[in-house]
Amino acid sequence: MSKEKIILGIDPGTTVMGFGIIKVMNKQMHFVQMNELMLRKYDDPYIKLKLIFERTIELIDTFHPDEIAIEAPFYGKNVQSMLKLGRAQGVAMAAGLSRQIPITEYMPKKIKMAITGNGNASKEQVAKMLQSMLKLKTLPKNLDSTDGLAAAVCHFYNEGRIDSATRYTGWEAFVKQNKERIK
């Protein structure tokens, strides 16, 4: 009897949150869905965080993922952007942890490497490779959803090799692995 597994991939953001869902059956990936939560029209940053949390819970309650793969914020020059991305990621992680779903965090270069073989690949290259791998008829206009899907596919390819990613199985594990963040 083969075990079926659902993986939710999330590309967190306060302007657009992309997500993708795959089903794994008999060690084969099958595309389920990808989409985006558009947050541009909201000015209040706390409303955006609330919407990210609620949408993530809705995805969890609808698709019942066994695991969540999330893209880690990348370290750019703009500290404010990094702070906003970290908050968006944290809220999405909190939603998963509140439902006791294991979360694995991947650096953007690791995701790109898993999909294209090139850690410096463009969003377009990642999207095209996913289209080929999962036999997608069309690609979305914005590529945030393919970034979320890429996180899920990266997780599939890295199953059992979690040493290069950060994994949380609940609040207790998060606290234990982040003692320097606790005051």
Side-chain angles (χ1 to χ4, degrees):
M1 187 165 155
S2 67
K3 186 180 182 307
E4 179 180 298
K5 179 173 24 176
I6 305 288
I7 302 171
L8 167 61
I10 299 174
D11 176 26
T14 55
T15 305
V16 180
M17 178 183 92
F19 64 87
I21 302 164
I22 59 171
K23 183 190 309 188
V24 179
M25 290 177 12
N26 299 321
K27 298 183 182 181
Q28 296 287 317
M29 282 186 295
H30 302 278
F31 172 75
V32 175
Q33 184 184 26
M34 69 176 154
N35 210 331
E36 298 162 341
L37 172 62
M38 303 304 285
L39 299 161
R40 284 186 183 94
K41 63 184 174 186
Y42 302 99
D43 293 327
D44 186 334
Y46 301 109
I47 295 294
K48 290 180 179 191
L49 295 176
K50 177 181 177 283
L51 292 170
I52 291 167
F53 184 87
E54 289 172 350
R55 182 63 174 135
T56 305
I57 289 291
E58 181 184 336
L59 290 167
I60 291 167
D61 290 348
T62 302
F63 294 99
H64 309 287
D66 299 287
E67 298 171 4
I68 295 175
I70 192 163
E71 184 174 311
F74 57 91
Y75 304 102
K77 294 177 184 172
N78 187 332
V79 176
Q80 287 301 315
S81 293
M82 180 68 180
L83 178 61
K84 289 175 185 175
L85 277 175
R87 286 177 175 172
Q89 182 201 34
V91 167
M93 290 171 77
L97 292 170
S98 75
R99 294 291 202 262
Q100 302 298 312
I101 300 171
I103 298 169
T104 306
E105 183 179 16
Y106 294 96
M107 295 304 295
K109 282 186 178 272
K110 175 129 179 113
I111 294 172
K112 291 174 181 182
M113 181 64 115
I115 305 304
T116 68
N118 175 3
N120 295 314
S122 68
K123 281 179 168 275
E124 292 78 14
Q125 289 171 315
V126 170
K128 282 292 190 187
M129 189 61 93
L130 287 170
Q131 184 176 28
S132 174
M133 279 181 199
L134 297 169
K135 297 172 182 46
L136 305 174
K137 288 182 175 56
T138 59
L139 288 173
K141 183 179 169 188
N142 299 318
L143 299 180
D144 296 279
S145 57
T146 54
D147 287 349
L149 184 61
V153 172
C154 173
H155 187 68
F156 167 76
Y157 285 139
N158 284 281
E159 190 171 39
R161 289 179 272 157
I162 304 301
D163 58 319
S164 59
T166 306
R167 186 175 178 94
Y168 306 115
T169 55
W171 283 114
E172 188 176 320
F174 179 84
V175 170
K176 192 180 286 185
Q177 292 177 37
N178 292 280
K179 289 179 181 161
E180 74 285 355
R181 295 169 126 178
I182 308 301
K183 292 186 180 190

mmCIF file of all heavy atoms in Angstrom, residues 112 115-116 118 120-133 136 138-147 150:
data_model
loop_
_atom_site.group_PDB
_atom_site.id
_atom_site.type_symbol
_atom_site.label_atom_id
_atom_site.label_comp_id
_atom_site.label_asym_id
_atom_site.label_seq_id
_atom_site.Cartn_x
_atom_site.Cartn_y
_atom_site.Cartn_z
ATOM 1 N N LYS A 112 16.455 26.973 -6.143
ATOM 2 C CA LYS A 112 16.814 27.113 -7.568
ATOM 3 C C LYS A 112 17.715 25.968 -8.026
ATOM 4 O O LYS A 112 17.560 25.448 -9.133
ATOM 5 C CB LYS A 112 17.497 28.455 -7.800
ATOM 6 C CG LYS A 112 16.566 29.637 -7.638
ATOM 7 C CD LYS A 112 17.329 30.950 -7.742
ATOM 8 C CE LYS A 112 16.396 32.135 -7.554
ATOM 9 N NZ LYS A 112 17.112 33.404 -7.691
ATOM 10 N N ILE A 115 15.749 22.743 -8.559
ATOM 11 C CA ILE A 115 14.860 22.747 -9.725
ATOM 12 C C ILE A 115 15.641 22.790 -11.038
ATOM 13 O O ILE A 115 15.349 22.051 -11.971
ATOM 14 C CB ILE A 115 13.876 23.947 -9.667
ATOM 15 C CG1 ILE A 115 13.089 23.967 -8.351
ATOM 16 C CG2 ILE A 115 12.939 23.942 -10.874
ATOM 17 C CD1 ILE A 115 12.326 22.721 -8.023
ATOM 18 N N THR A 116 16.637 23.672 -11.114
ATOM 19 C CA THR A 116 17.326 23.907 -12.392
ATOM 20 C C THR A 116 18.756 23.389 -12.444
ATOM 21 O O THR A 116 19.336 23.311 -13.525
ATOM 22 C CB THR A 116 17.382 25.416 -12.707
ATOM 23 O OG1 THR A 116 18.247 26.053 -11.759
ATOM 24 C CG2 THR A 116 15.999 26.051 -12.681
ATOM 25 N N ASN A 118 21.046 25.139 -11.103
ATOM 26 C CA ASN A 118 21.797 26.396 -11.055
ATOM 27 C C ASN A 118 21.229 27.257 -9.931
ATOM 28 O O ASN A 118 20.095 27.714 -10.015
ATOM 29 C CB ASN A 118 21.687 27.120 -12.410
ATOM 30 C CG ASN A 118 22.344 28.482 -12.418
ATOM 31 O OD1 ASN A 118 22.952 28.917 -11.440
ATOM 32 N ND2 ASN A 118 22.226 29.169 -13.546
ATOM 33 N N ASN A 120 21.773 30.186 -9.254
ATOM 34 C CA ASN A 120 21.579 31.580 -9.666
ATOM 35 C C ASN A 120 20.552 31.711 -10.793
ATOM 36 O O ASN A 120 20.505 32.729 -11.483
ATOM 37 C CB ASN A 120 22.909 32.203 -10.100
ATOM 38 C CG ASN A 120 23.883 32.308 -8.951
ATOM 39 O OD1 ASN A 120 23.523 32.746 -7.871
ATOM 40 N ND2 ASN A 120 25.114 31.869 -9.169
ATOM 41 N N ALA A 121 19.742 30.691 -10.979
ATOM 42 C CA ALA A 121 18.736 30.705 -12.055
ATOM 43 C C ALA A 121 17.730 31.838 -11.826
ATOM 44 O O ALA A 121 17.476 32.246 -10.698
ATOM 45 C CB ALA A 121 18.001 29.366 -12.101
ATOM 46 N N SER A 122 17.156 32.320 -12.911
ATOM 47 C CA SER A 122 16.134 33.374 -12.836
ATOM 48 C C SER A 122 14.784 32.752 -12.482
ATOM 49 O O SER A 122 14.594 31.533 -12.606
ATOM 50 C CB SER A 122 16.023 34.094 -14.177
ATOM 51 O OG SER A 122 15.482 33.217 -15.155
ATOM 52 N N LYS A 123 13.846 33.599 -12.072
ATOM 53 C CA LYS A 123 12.476 33.139 -11.805
ATOM 54 C C LYS A 123 11.899 32.468 -13.049
ATOM 55 O O LYS A 123 11.190 31.469 -12.954
ATOM 56 C CB LYS A 123 11.580 34.322 -11.427
ATOM 57 C CG LYS A 123 11.707 34.799 -9.999
ATOM 58 C CD LYS A 123 10.766 35.990 -9.802
ATOM 59 C CE LYS A 123 10.579 36.372 -8.376
ATOM 60 N NZ LYS A 123 9.563 35.619 -7.678
ATOM 61 N N GLU A 124 12.192 33.035 -14.201
ATOM 62 C CA GLU A 124 11.672 32.498 -15.471
ATOM 63 C C GLU A 124 12.227 31.104 -15.750
ATOM 64 O O GLU A 124 11.502 30.218 -16.213
ATOM 65 C CB GLU A 124 12.008 33.450 -16.636
ATOM 66 C CG GLU A 124 11.276 34.776 -16.584
ATOM 67 C CD GLU A 124 11.851 35.797 -15.586
ATOM 68 O OE1 GLU A 124 12.991 35.605 -15.087
ATOM 69 O OE2 GLU A 124 11.148 36.778 -15.286
ATOM 70 N N GLN A 125 13.520 30.899 -15.482
ATOM 71 C CA GLN A 125 14.125 29.586 -15.688
ATOM 72 C C GLN A 125 13.513 28.548 -14.746
ATOM 73 O O GLN A 125 13.236 27.419 -15.170
ATOM 74 C CB GLN A 125 15.641 29.657 -15.481
ATOM 75 C CG GLN A 125 16.356 30.406 -16.586
ATOM 76 C CD GLN A 125 17.820 30.658 -16.248
ATOM 77 O OE1 GLN A 125 18.153 31.058 -15.136
ATOM 78 N NE2 GLN A 125 18.682 30.417 -17.221
ATOM 79 N N VAL A 126 13.299 28.929 -13.500
ATOM 80 C CA VAL A 126 12.668 28.026 -12.528
ATOM 81 C C VAL A 126 11.262 27.663 -12.998
ATOM 82 O O VAL A 126 10.874 26.497 -13.002
ATOM 83 C CB VAL A 126 12.647 28.661 -11.118
ATOM 84 C CG1 VAL A 126 11.790 27.838 -10.158
ATOM 85 C CG2 VAL A 126 14.058 28.826 -10.570
ATOM 86 N N ALA A 127 10.504 28.674 -13.420
ATOM 87 C CA ALA A 127 9.120 28.452 -13.873
ATOM 88 C C ALA A 127 9.079 27.512 -15.082
ATOM 89 O O ALA A 127 8.259 26.588 -15.133
ATOM 90 C CB ALA A 127 8.457 29.784 -14.201
ATOM 91 N N LYS A 128 9.954 27.731 -16.037
ATOM 92 C CA LYS A 128 9.986 26.882 -17.245
ATOM 93 C C LYS A 128 10.346 25.437 -16.906
ATOM 94 O O LYS A 128 9.783 24.498 -17.468
ATOM 95 C CB LYS A 128 10.979 27.442 -18.276
ATOM 96 C CG LYS A 128 10.445 28.615 -19.047
ATOM 97 C CD LYS A 128 9.322 28.169 -19.951
ATOM 98 C CE LYS A 128 8.921 29.250 -20.916
ATOM 99 N NZ LYS A 128 7.726 28.888 -21.673
ATOM 100 N N MET A 129 11.279 25.266 -15.991
ATOM 101 C CA MET A 129 11.667 23.911 -15.593
ATOM 102 C C MET A 129 10.515 23.211 -14.880
ATOM 103 O O MET A 129 10.239 22.033 -15.128
ATOM 104 C CB MET A 129 12.913 23.957 -14.709
ATOM 105 C CG MET A 129 13.480 22.593 -14.436
ATOM 106 S SD MET A 129 13.996 21.724 -15.931
ATOM 107 C CE MET A 129 15.697 22.196 -16.003
ATOM 108 N N LEU A 130 9.811 23.944 -13.996
ATOM 109 C CA LEU A 130 8.639 23.374 -13.323
ATOM 110 C C LEU A 130 7.560 23.005 -14.339
ATOM 111 O O LEU A 130 6.905 21.967 -14.213
ATOM 112 C CB LEU A 130 8.075 24.356 -12.298
ATOM 113 C CG LEU A 130 8.894 24.546 -11.028
ATOM 114 C CD1 LEU A 130 8.358 25.725 -10.230
ATOM 115 C CD2 LEU A 130 8.911 23.285 -10.185
ATOM 116 N N GLN A 131 7.379 23.859 -15.339
ATOM 117 C CA GLN A 131 6.383 23.593 -16.377
ATOM 118 C C GLN A 131 6.705 22.274 -17.080
ATOM 119 O O GLN A 131 5.811 21.452 -17.308
ATOM 120 C CB GLN A 131 6.357 24.739 -17.382
ATOM 121 C CG GLN A 131 5.284 24.588 -18.445
ATOM 122 C CD GLN A 131 5.214 25.788 -19.379
ATOM 123 O OE1 GLN A 131 6.200 26.491 -19.609
ATOM 124 N NE2 GLN A 131 4.035 26.034 -19.912
ATOM 125 N N SER A 132 7.975 22.062 -17.370
ATOM 126 C CA SER A 132 8.396 20.833 -18.026
ATOM 127 C C SER A 132 8.255 19.620 -17.099
ATOM 128 O O SER A 132 7.695 18.593 -17.490
ATOM 129 C CB SER A 132 9.852 20.984 -18.479
ATOM 130 O OG SER A 132 10.331 19.771 -18.988
ATOM 131 N N MET A 133 8.726 19.751 -15.860
ATOM 132 C CA MET A 133 8.687 18.633 -14.888
ATOM 133 C C MET A 133 7.278 18.169 -14.586
ATOM 134 O O MET A 133 7.013 16.973 -14.512
ATOM 135 C CB MET A 133 9.272 19.094 -13.545
ATOM 136 C CG MET A 133 10.718 19.118 -13.424
ATOM 137 S SD MET A 133 11.037 19.686 -11.718
ATOM 138 C CE MET A 133 12.704 20.203 -11.914
ATOM 139 N N LEU A 136 2.857 21.329 -16.871
ATOM 140 C CA LEU A 136 1.889 22.416 -16.727
ATOM 141 C C LEU A 136 1.606 23.000 -18.104
ATOM 142 O O LEU A 136 2.532 23.274 -18.866
ATOM 143 C CB LEU A 136 2.445 23.507 -15.804
ATOM 144 C CG LEU A 136 2.902 23.053 -14.416
ATOM 145 C CD1 LEU A 136 3.563 24.207 -13.683
ATOM 146 C CD2 LEU A 136 1.731 22.503 -13.630
ATOM 147 N N THR A 138 0.152 25.976 -18.869
ATOM 148 C CA THR A 138 0.518 27.393 -18.926
ATOM 149 C C THR A 138 1.196 27.804 -17.619
ATOM 150 O O THR A 138 1.059 27.131 -16.603
ATOM 151 C CB THR A 138 -0.721 28.296 -19.128
ATOM 152 O OG1 THR A 138 -1.621 28.084 -18.033
ATOM 153 C CG2 THR A 138 -1.427 28.003 -20.435
ATOM 154 N N LEU A 139 1.867 28.926 -17.691
ATOM 155 C CA LEU A 139 2.483 29.504 -16.499
ATOM 156 C C LEU A 139 1.720 30.763 -16.122
ATOM 157 O O LEU A 139 1.189 31.457 -16.982
ATOM 158 C CB LEU A 139 3.947 29.852 -16.775
ATOM 159 C CG LEU A 139 4.898 28.667 -16.896
ATOM 160 C CD1 LEU A 139 6.278 29.131 -17.334
ATOM 161 C CD2 LEU A 139 4.983 27.907 -15.584
ATOM 162 N N PRO A 140 1.685 31.083 -14.835
ATOM 163 C CA PRO A 140 0.991 32.309 -14.416
ATOM 164 C C PRO A 140 1.749 33.552 -14.872
ATOM 165 O O PRO A 140 2.942 33.492 -15.161
ATOM 166 C CB PRO A 140 0.996 32.200 -12.885
ATOM 167 C CG PRO A 140 2.132 31.299 -12.567
ATOM 168 C CD PRO A 140 2.278 30.359 -13.710
ATOM 169 N N LYS A 141 1.041 34.659 -14.917
ATOM 170 C CA LYS A 141 1.633 35.934 -15.317
ATOM 171 C C LYS A 141 2.717 36.346 -14.321
ATOM 172 O O LYS A 141 3.829 36.693 -14.700
ATOM 173 C CB LYS A 141 0.539 37.003 -15.389
ATOM 174 C CG LYS A 141 1.022 38.346 -15.850
ATOM 175 C CD LYS A 141 -0.134 39.330 -15.921
ATOM 176 C CE LYS A 141 0.394 40.736 -16.123
ATOM 177 N NZ LYS A 141 -0.668 41.721 -16.019
ATOM 178 N N ASN A 142 2.375 36.309 -13.040
ATOM 179 C CA ASN A 142 3.355 36.577 -11.986
ATOM 180 C C ASN A 142 3.969 35.251 -11.575
ATOM 181 O O ASN A 142 3.298 34.226 -11.582
ATOM 182 C CB ASN A 142 2.676 37.215 -10.765
ATOM 183 C CG ASN A 142 2.030 38.532 -11.113
ATOM 184 O OD1 ASN A 142 2.585 39.340 -11.840
ATOM 185 N ND2 ASN A 142 0.827 38.751 -10.613
ATOM 186 N N LEU A 143 5.241 35.276 -11.205
ATOM 187 C CA LEU A 143 5.913 34.016 -10.924
ATOM 188 C C LEU A 143 6.093 33.727 -9.437
ATOM 189 O O LEU A 143 6.849 32.844 -9.065
ATOM 190 C CB LEU A 143 7.267 33.993 -11.647
ATOM 191 C CG LEU A 143 7.173 34.092 -13.173
ATOM 192 C CD1 LEU A 143 8.543 34.069 -13.810
ATOM 193 C CD2 LEU A 143 6.296 32.994 -13.752
ATOM 194 N N ASP A 144 5.364 34.435 -8.582
ATOM 195 C CA ASP A 144 5.436 34.144 -7.155
ATOM 196 C C ASP A 144 4.840 32.778 -6.843
ATOM 197 O O ASP A 144 5.319 32.070 -5.956
ATOM 198 C CB ASP A 144 4.724 35.242 -6.350
ATOM 199 C CG ASP A 144 5.414 36.583 -6.510
ATOM 200 O OD1 ASP A 144 6.421 36.800 -5.814
ATOM 201 O OD2 ASP A 144 4.966 37.391 -7.336
ATOM 202 N N SER A 145 3.796 32.400 -7.585
ATOM 203 C CA SER A 145 3.190 31.088 -7.356
ATOM 204 C C SER A 145 4.138 29.963 -7.786
ATOM 205 O O SER A 145 4.200 28.926 -7.122
ATOM 206 C CB SER A 145 1.840 30.965 -8.052
ATOM 207 O OG SER A 145 1.968 31.205 -9.425
ATOM 208 N N THR A 146 4.898 30.162 -8.864
ATOM 209 C CA THR A 146 5.858 29.128 -9.253
ATOM 210 C C THR A 146 7.001 29.048 -8.240
ATOM 211 O O THR A 146 7.561 27.975 -8.032
ATOM 212 C CB THR A 146 6.411 29.345 -10.685
ATOM 213 O OG1 THR A 146 6.941 30.661 -10.796
ATOM 214 C CG2 THR A 146 5.344 29.108 -11.730
ATOM 215 N N ASP A 147 7.319 30.162 -7.579
ATOM 216 C CA ASP A 147 8.329 30.124 -6.514
ATOM 217 C C ASP A 147 7.832 29.286 -5.336
ATOM 218 O O ASP A 147 8.601 28.527 -4.743
ATOM 219 C CB ASP A 147 8.677 31.535 -6.038
ATOM 220 C CG ASP A 147 9.527 32.309 -7.041
ATOM 221 O OD1 ASP A 147 10.018 31.699 -8.015
ATOM 222 O OD2 ASP A 147 9.690 33.527 -6.845
ATOM 223 N N ALA A 150 8.012 25.761 -6.447
ATOM 224 C CA ALA A 150 9.420 25.339 -6.453
ATOM 225 C C ALA A 150 9.870 24.908 -5.063
ATOM 226 O O ALA A 150 10.636 23.945 -4.922
ATOM 227 C CB ALA A 150 10.310 26.462 -6.979
#
